[in-house]
């Protein structure tokens, strides 16, 4: 069955430390891949997306993500975390099979940033 | 642009009552999505409209839920009758020409059914 997995429910990092959030998918072909961020009490905001081409994607707020076909992964990274990055992060996947396909969101990873 | 507008932001109602959630998408966007977010089930797509036409309503839980989009600038999600298990945050999102472009989310409506 097609699925997207975020194995870490909750992550705590120190301000200034590096961050990597994991996302794995299970689809027959490389899907379209997205990372969204949700701050408390707000809707989701797109950080970055991957459709094809360069496997290292740059996004907003200093985030980047790397697509690794061999690992079926699309991990989100940031070299130095700021306190304002505390939020919940969602990986999302859309099958790349033509026509309309439903977006599937992962269960989310809640990021806590400590001083 | 004001972004996606949702109303009300909070709604508390009693079981059995009708609830109507409203959404105004970003002007020029022709795709509109309704999502439901709960701790147990995460973020679920309820229904997707393209050019005001429902394309995918497979996520609508049951007949108690209905959604309409009478024009390009307005959509409603109605629950009748409401039940406590409908308590959740309901998001509306819109996007441009292709549904896989960036989706812009509204701030959500937090619904509590007592």
């Amino acid at each position: 069955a097609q699925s997207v997995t975020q194995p870490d429910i909750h992550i705590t990092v120190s301000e200034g430390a590096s961050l990597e959030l994991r996302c794995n998918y299970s689809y027959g072909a490389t899907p379209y891949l997205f990372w969204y961020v949700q701050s408390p009490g707000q809707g989701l905001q797109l950080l970055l997306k991957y459709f094809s081409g360069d496997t290292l994607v740059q996004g907003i707020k200093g985030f980047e993500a790397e697509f690794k076909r061999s690992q079926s992964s699309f991990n989100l990274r940031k070299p130095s975390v700021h306190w304002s990055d505390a939020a919940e992060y969602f990986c999302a996947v859309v099958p790349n099979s033509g026509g309309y396909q439903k977006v599937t969101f992962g269960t989310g990873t809640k990021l806590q940033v400590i001083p | 642009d004001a972004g996606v507008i949702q109303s009300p932001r909070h709604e508390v109602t009693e079981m059995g009552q009708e609830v109507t959630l409203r959404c105004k998408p970003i002007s020029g966007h022709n795709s509109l999505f309704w999502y439901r977010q709960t701790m147990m089930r995460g973020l679920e797509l309820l229904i997707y409209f393209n050019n005001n036409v429902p394309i995918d309503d497979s996520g609508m839980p049951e007949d108690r839920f209905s959604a309409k989009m009478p024009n390009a600038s307005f959509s409603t999600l109605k629950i009748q009758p409401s039940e406590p298990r409908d308590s959740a945050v309901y998001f509306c999102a819109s996007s441009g020409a292709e549904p896989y472009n960036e989706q812009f989310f509204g701030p959500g409506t937090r619904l509590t059914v007592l």
Side-chain angles (χ1 to χ4, degrees), chain A residues 36 38 51 99-102, chain B residues 37 48 56 58 91 100 103:
Chain A
Y36 283 83
Q38 184 180 27
F51 286 2
Y100 165 73
Q101 298 291 334
K102 183 183 295 189
Chain B
Q37 186 177 40
Y48 157 55
D56 180 2
S58 60
F91 289 102
Y100 312 131
Q103 291 189 26

Side-chain angles (χ1 to χ4, degrees), chain B residues 72-93:
Chain B
S73 59
F74 184 65
S75 177
T76 60
L77 178 68
K78 185 177 293 186
I79 308 172
Q80 167 62 19
S82 59
E83 297 182 2
R85 60 192 169 121
D86 301 330
S87 298
V89 181
Y90 291 82
F91 289 102
C92 176

Side-chain angles (χ1 to χ4, degrees), chain B:
Chain B
D1 198 323
V4 175
I5 299 173
Q6 290 187 247
S7 66
R9 292 293 312 274
H10 301 272
E11 176 81 31
V12 180
T13 190
E14 292 188 347
M15 183 174 61
Q17 296 298 306
E18 177 180 296
V19 175
T20 300
L21 311 181
R22 297 173 175 80
C23 174
K24 176 178 170 55
I26 292 173
S27 177
H29 283 185
N30 63 350
S31 291
L32 184 138
F33 307 81
W34 282 100
Y35 290 92
R36 178 172 67 177
Q37 186 177 40
T38 62
M39 290 290 291
M40 292 298 296
R41 300 175 66 90
L43 195 63
E44 305 171 277
L45 176 67
L46 299 177
I47 188 167
Y48 157 55
F49 290 90
N50 185 253
N51 292 323
N52 313 336
V53 176
I55 302 298
D56 180 2
D57 63 357
S58 60
M60 295 288 268
E62 50 200 90
D63 292 344
R64 297 185 298 107
F65 285 69
S66 62
K68 294 182 179 179
M69 193 164 185
N71 56 62
S73 59
F74 184 65
S75 177
T76 60
L77 178 68
K78 185 177 293 186
I79 308 172
Q80 167 62 19
S82 59
E83 297 182 2
R85 60 192 169 121
D86 301 330
S87 298
V89 181
Y90 291 82
F91 289 102
C92 176
S94 69
S95 70
E98 295 295 329
Y100 312 131
N101 281 340
E102 175 180 359
Q103 291 189 26
F104 292 81
F105 281 73
T109 295
R110 181 173 295 276
L111 173 65
T112 302
V113 183
L114 303 174

Side-chain angles (χ1 to χ4, degrees), chain A residues 39-103:
Chain A
S39 296
Q42 298 185 23
L44 279 68
Q45 179 186 21
L46 182 71
L47 286 175
L48 47 79
K49 61 187 177 185
Y50 174 78
F51 286 2
S52 65
D54 192 345
T55 57
L56 186 61
V57 181
Q58 300 299 319
I60 63 171
K61 305 185 180 187
F63 285 91
E64 66 178 26
E66 185 171 13
F67 167 63
K68 292 185 177 180
R69 185 190 308 274
S70 61
Q71 299 177 16
S72 297
S73 69
F74 188 57
N75 294 349
L76 182 71
R77 302 194 296 243
K78 187 169 185 178
S80 177
V81 170
H82 187 262
W83 64 266
S84 61
D85 294 324
E88 191 159 16
Y89 293 80
F90 293 88
C91 181
V93 178
V94 178
N96 179 10
S97 54
Y100 165 73
Q101 298 291 334
K102 183 183 295 189
V103 177

